[in-house]
Amino acid sequence: MAKVIEGLYYSESHEFVRVEGDYGYVGITDYAQHALGNVVYVDMPDVDDEVEAGSEFGAVESVKAASDLISPVSGTVVEVNEALDDQPELINQDAFENWIIKVELSDKADLDRLMDAKAYEEFCNK
């Protein structure tokens, strides 16, 4: 069973958001990294780019497949995880620690449309 962490928000496209104040750290879930296999490349937006809930903001490529990243929240990218440029496999080691982008949230109501840990676990088990 893939790891699911309490206190995070989850999307049906298997991204998570960890909220700290007005910021959200967005990455892919443990379930997603297991499904992808060995991650070899992460395509990330630039700092100051706008992301929109439900829209693509990048991609994760593995030896098996490429998967679009769908932003679970809207806002402005304030930081990208530059460690993933040189070591994309960090996502396989710990998907939740190795977030992809940090976003200044423009509308916290976006979070109301996401799942909590229990709902996400049930979603993954379907």
Side-chain angles (χ1 to χ4, degrees):
M1 174 64 198
K3 183 167 78 171
V4 176
I5 296 179
E6 289 290 331
L8 302 181
Y9 297 89
Y10 298 89
S11 69
E12 289 187 0
S13 53
H14 304 288
E15 286 84 13
F16 73 85
V17 183
R18 183 179 77 232
V19 176
E20 292 181 7
D22 294 329
Y23 298 94
Y25 292 85
V26 178
I28 65 169
T29 65
D30 193 49
Y31 180 93
Q33 72 84 14
H34 275 291
L36 280 166
N38 294 332
V39 174
V40 294
Y41 178 71
V42 182
D43 179 33
M44 297 178 275
D46 295 321
V47 171
D48 293 331
D49 280 1
E50 296 290 321
V51 293
E52 196 171 314
S55 296
E56 185 184 324
F57 72 87
V60 175
E61 293 178 20
S62 71
V63 291
K64 289 197 288 193
S67 181
D68 289 339
L69 294 167
I70 308 299
S71 186
V73 292
S74 297
T76 305
V77 177
V78 293
E79 192 178 339
V80 297
N81 188 348
E82 293 177 1
L84 298 176
D85 283 337
D86 297 326
Q87 296 179 285
E89 67 277 5
L90 289 170
I91 288 177
N92 295 120
Q93 293 168 19
D94 190 334
F96 292 113
E97 277 303 308
N98 293 290
W99 50 273
I100 297 170
I101 59 172
K102 179 180 176 182
V103 176
E104 185 171 5
L105 303 171
S106 61
D107 186 359
K108 285 195 175 175
D110 289 339
L111 302 171
D112 298 337
R113 293 188 286 277
L114 301 173
M115 293 176 273
D116 64 11
K118 185 177 187 311
Y120 181 69
E121 227 171 302
E122 290 169 5
F123 175 76
C124 289
N125 288 330
K126 283 185 185 159

